Amino acid sequence: MKKFINDPEMVVKEELEGVALAHPDLVKVNFDPDFVYRADAPVKGKVGLLSGGGSGHEPMHGGFVGYGMLDAACPGAVFSSPTPDQMLEATKMIDGGAGVLHIVKNYTGDIMNFEMAADLAKAEGINVEAVVIDDDVAVQDSLYTAGRRGVGSTVLAEKVCGAAAELGRSLSEVVDVCIKVKGWGRSMGMALTSCTVPHVGTPTFDLPEDEMEIGVGIHGEPGRKRMELKPADEIVEMLMEPIISDLPYKAGDNVLLFVNGMGGTPPIELYIAYRKAHQICEQHGLNVVRNFIGPYITSLDMAGVSITLLKMDEDLLTLWDHPVLTPGLRWGK
Amino acid sequence: MKKFINDPEMVVKEELEGVALAHPDLVKVNFDPDFVYRADAPVKGKVGLLSGGGSGHEPMHGGFVGYGMLDAACPGAVFSSPTPDQMLEATKMIDGGAGVLHIVKNYTGDIMNFEMAADLAKAEGINVEAVVIDDDVAVQDSLYTAGRRGVGSTVLAEKVCGAAAELGRSLSEVVDVCIKVKGWGRSMGMALTSCTVPHVGTPTFDLPEDEMEIGVGIHGEPGRKRMELKPADEIVEMLMEPIISDLPYKAGDNVLLFVNGMGGTPPIELYIAYRKAHQICEQHGLNVVRNFIGPYITSLDMAGVSITLLKMDEDLLTLWDHPVLTPGLRWGK
């Protein structure tokens, strides 16, 4: 295992210490239980937004804590769900009196723990709602998931719901925005290489030098098929076809096109992917009104890309363009 | 070779097509000769900023074209200098009447070609100045360089000179800012893995599974020493010591700490690197007043990090904080 780390068991703790040192103006880090939260939390009268999940997908979620996005994020161990006590303490920390929305990716452990935390928080008088994102069209049911996995749309949901909360919308209105993203976002990913969990020390799966995995999950869960390496344009077609043929896109729709790097893929390759994905959108009459290109939901050192399409309406455009100021995403402020 | 590409010979062209499709509001792409330039170029009365170099280091330089940073960037083939005709046409395109600054990394081919382009542009009546960045403390002279190589400080120079130009400063004043960065910035990098140039198809250098290269260049040029893989904190010490012991830092100085990913290194590892680098600054009495963490000057798929320290004064702080709006860097606008 060749990684830029110290002790494999200390990866998350040391990363959080790095975040705390780097961004004290934006976020604070609570240890035991671990969570990252807005430096100015709780924001009185604003709906609080909480997400979380296994570590190894940075900048999601901790890198998206700050003005216009999340109020807190709970990191689990690498590729492991955070615990209910993390989520409960974070929920209490960010409750500004207007309730808290949990944005949850569809993994069985995450859902179970977020549900338990929500119950505990409600027992303490906090109004909590949860939306589960399940946007990965690759497979139905997976290693850690019943139904579809939650992937790239989660980042987009965090952005637009964060803006909605910042604009003073109520908990039910922010929930509506999140449900819209859940309904209108679709994703699919692929891997050129596996990834290695630090405390495991060996690759999560084997992928021969001349093969790739289409439809891979962000923890290396099996995808749709393993096949020999193809040219980038063919790979993009294999990702875009299932996304576009799924609900809810039709010619004339406005979309946000998100080309994501899995962690080990350099920018030059992401733009080659974007080129073809954009062309395919045009061929289908989809207007790419916004795009988002970079490593935003990663899988450690995995080389690969995922593509997310989100249908956009006027409200989502307004929310997407709203200023954001977080360690991992920043504009307009 | 496992890459997300089509034809190895078409990597740069297709990447540029992706950039053109993705960011028409910010930049335009000229083909034959290839360069990326601001959509609103030339900006009348503003000093024009041009950089360029071999491709494979994205987002540097093309990703830094836009408001508050570069006016144009010339990409060569992967790890190969761009040609004088690219630089000349780009210089002419961005000249708004106040002259053009060429920000050049210290590689022999880049310098030779930028000098030729400057001579040709001057012959056409354009006022051109050039500053050569040579901030890599790892080695004196290298595979493609006499003196020190130009690396991370280049990105910082592009940011602050871009702001200075935007604020209406004259060519000689923008040159002064660039010379300040050249004097006050120091960098050093390391590699966990080699990188593979697409049209070559095999790794640039061999690095056994249990070894790393300290002081590596951004094209895989040899560094100071090859040794067995060490814990992250020890590696950061090996990078920071030569940086800090070089001119011009002393206790009490304000610095910008830039922790850069080489392309194949995930964010979680960059924050582990940042943690230790920040601690070392504190131990030396250096105040980290700004930081910058991410893959901004990459080496294709190389796994590794580089660290850049830039001494900051009030003017550099103002220029760093100035809004920027480019494909690869955006804030405050």
Side-chain angles (χ1 to χ4, degrees):
Chain A
M1 177 177 64
K2 217 166 186 183
K3 285 186 184 292
F4 196 93
I5 61 171
N6 294 298
D7 180 347
E9 301 293 336
M10 297 293 281
V11 164
V12 174
K13 179 169 178 290
E14 292 180 351
E15 185 241 349
L16 291 175
E17 289 175 356
V19 169
L21 285 170
H23 308 294
D25 48 328
L26 301 179
V27 299
K28 292 180 182 171
V29 179
N30 192 82
F31 291 96
D32 298 316
D34 297 349
F35 58 91
V36 180
Y37 61 104
R38 268 175 75 152
D40 58 350
V43 183
K44 281 258 182 304
K46 189 185 85 70
V47 171
L49 255 68
L50 175 66
S51 192
S55 290
H57 307 301
E58 292 70 24
M60 187 191 79
H61 303 275
F64 298 140
V65 175
Y67 176 87
M69 218 160 163
L70 297 175
D71 291 86
C74 299
V78 172
F79 290 3
S80 298
S81 179
T83 54
D85 67 311
Q86 291 175 265
M87 299 163 181
L88 174 63
E89 292 307 314
T91 299
K92 288 158 69 175
M93 176 69 83
I94 65 173
D95 176 36
V100 174
L101 171 61
H102 291 175
I103 300 178
V104 184
K105 301 194 301 302
N106 190 30
Y107 299 97
T108 305
D110 288 6
I111 289 176
M112 196 173 65
N113 291 351
F114 266 110
E115 281 178 356
M116 196 177 301
D119 288 344
L120 293 167
K122 284 175 194 166
E124 299 197 27
I126 301 174
N127 194 6
V128 177
E129 296 282 348
V131 175
V132 176
I133 302 289
D134 54 352
D135 60 322
D136 188 340
V137 300
V139 294
Q140 188 70 20
D141 302 334
S142 193
L143 220 48
Y144 314 111
T145 308
R148 287 176 167 182
R149 299 175 296 224
V151 290
S153 295
T154 315
V155 177
L156 309 182
E158 292 173 1
K159 171 66 187 79
V160 295
C161 292
E166 217 65 66
L167 290 168
R169 296 193 192 172
S170 69
L171 182 57
S172 73
E173 289 170 323
V174 178
V175 166
D176 286 346
V177 170
C178 204
I179 288 173
K180 192 188 275 184
V181 174
K182 173 189 170 82
W184 286 1
R186 295 292 187 277
S187 300
M188 193 156 147
M190 61 79 58
L192 290 175
T193 70
S194 182
C195 52
T196 299
V197 175
H199 61 263
V200 176
T202 53
T204 301
F205 59 101
D206 289 317
L207 197 53
E209 183 52 37
D210 57 347
E211 292 187 8
M212 62 177 180
E213 176 91 21
I214 295 286
V216 74
I218 57 172
H219 313 95
E221 304 99 309
R224 287 191 170 194
K225 50 190 168 187
R226 175 122 3 145
M227 62 174 68
E228 65 172 353
L229 185 60
K230 303 278 189 189
D233 285 359
E234 282 185 49
I235 299 172
V236 173
E237 282 171 0
M238 283 188 269
L239 300 179
M240 289 291 282
E241 193 281 323
I243 291 173
I244 290 184
S245 65
D246 207 282
L247 279 170
Y249 312 105
K250 62 177 193 304
D253 280 349
N254 290 333
V255 295
L256 183 156
L257 172 56
F258 171 21
V259 173
N260 175 64
M262 291 295 206
T265 294
I268 197 169
E269 298 181 25
L270 295 185
Y271 275 93
I272 291 174
Y274 182 84
R275 167 184 169 274
K276 185 63 180 179
H278 186 111
Q279 290 168 347
I280 292 173
C281 284
E282 288 182 335
Q283 286 158 12
H284 285 79
L286 301 175
N287 307 315
V288 181
V289 291
R290 293 293 182 277
N291 55 53
F292 192 49
I293 305 163
Y296 293 111
I297 166 172
T298 61
S299 301
L300 296 168
D301 52 337
M302 183 186 284
V305 303
S306 66
I307 296 175
T308 298
L309 270 189
L310 173 63
K311 180 174 155 174
M312 299 292 276
D313 62 10
E314 281 305 312
D315 190 49
L316 288 182
L317 274 174
T318 300
L319 297 173
W320 180 257
D321 290 341
H322 190 83
V324 60
L325 181 54
T326 70
L329 198 62
R330 177 178 177 179
W331 61 63
K333 196 179 163 83
Chain B
M1 179 177 62
K2 220 167 183 183
K3 286 186 183 291
F4 196 94
I5 61 172
N6 294 298
D7 179 347
E9 301 292 339
M10 298 292 281
V11 164
V12 175
K13 178 168 179 291
E14 292 181 352
E15 184 241 350
L16 291 175
E17 289 175 356
V19 168
L21 285 169
H23 309 293
D25 48 330
L26 301 179
V27 300
K28 292 180 182 172
V29 179
N30 191 83
F31 291 97
D32 298 315
D34 296 348
F35 59 90
V36 180
Y37 61 104
R38 272 176 73 153
D40 58 350
V43 182
K44 279 259 183 303
K46 189 184 85 68
V47 170
L49 255 66
L50 174 67
S51 192
S55 291
H57 307 300
E58 292 70 24
M60 187 189 80
H61 302 273
F64 298 140
V65 175
Y67 176 86
M69 218 158 161
L70 296 175
D71 292 85
C74 299
V78 172
F79 290 1
S80 297
S81 179
T83 54
D85 66 312
Q86 291 175 264
M87 300 163 180
L88 174 63
E89 292 307 315
T91 300
K92 289 159 68 175
M93 176 70 82
I94 66 173
D95 176 37
V100 174
L101 170 61
H102 290 175
I103 300 179
V104 185
K105 301 195 303 302
N106 190 30
Y107 299 98
T108 306
D110 288 7
I111 289 176
M112 195 173 66
N113 291 351
F114 267 109
E115 281 178 355
M116 198 178 300
D119 287 344
L120 293 167
K122 285 174 193 166
E124 298 198 27
I126 301 174
N127 195 5
V128 177
E129 296 282 347
V131 175
V132 176
I133 303 290
D134 52 353
D135 61 321
D136 188 341
V137 300
V139 295
Q140 187 69 22
D141 301 334
S142 193
L143 219 48
Y144 314 112
T145 308
R148 288 176 166 181
R149 300 175 296 225
V151 289
S153 296
T154 315
V155 178
L156 309 182
E158 292 174 2
K159 170 68 187 78
V160 295
C161 292
E166 217 64 68
L167 290 168
R169 296 192 192 171
S170 70
L171 181 57
S172 73
E173 289 170 323
V174 178
V175 166
D176 286 345
V177 170
C178 204
I179 288 173
K180 193 189 276 184
V181 174
K182 173 189 171 81
W184 286 0
R186 296 291 187 276
S187 300
M188 191 156 148
M190 60 79 58
L192 291 174
T193 70
S194 181
C195 52
T196 300
V197 174
H199 61 263
V200 176
T202 53
T204 301
F205 58 101
D206 289 318
L207 198 53
E209 183 52 35
D210 56 347
E211 292 188 9
M212 62 178 181
E213 176 92 19
I214 296 286
V216 74
I218 57 172
H219 312 95
E221 303 99 310
R224 287 191 172 195
K225 49 190 168 188
R226 173 102 32 122
M227 61 174 68
E228 65 171 354
L229 185 60
K230 302 280 188 188
D233 285 359
E234 282 184 50
I235 299 172
V236 173
E237 282 170 0
M238 283 187 269
L239 300 181
M240 290 291 283
E241 193 281 323
I243 290 174
I244 290 185
S245 66
D246 208 279
L247 280 172
Y249 312 106
K250 63 177 191 303
D253 280 349
N254 291 333
V255 295
L256 183 154
L257 172 55
F258 172 21
V259 172
N260 175 65
M262 292 294 208
T265 294
I268 198 170
E269 299 181 25
L270 295 185
Y271 275 93
I272 291 174
Y274 182 83
R275 168 184 168 274
K276 185 65 180 177
H278 185 110
Q279 290 168 348
I280 292 173
C281 284
E282 288 182 336
Q283 287 158 13
H284 285 79
L286 301 175
N287 307 314
V288 181
V289 292
R290 292 293 183 277
N291 56 52
F292 192 49
I293 305 163
Y296 293 111
I297 165 172
T298 61
S299 301
L300 296 167
D301 52 338
M302 183 185 285
V305 304
S306 67
I307 296 176
T308 298
L309 270 188
L310 174 63
K311 179 174 157 177
M312 300 291 276
D313 61 11
E314 281 304 313
D315 190 49
L316 288 182
L317 274 173
T318 301
L319 297 173
W320 180 257
D321 290 342
H322 190 84
V324 59
L325 180 53
T326 70
L329 198 62
R330 176 178 178 180
W331 61 62
K333 196 180 163 89

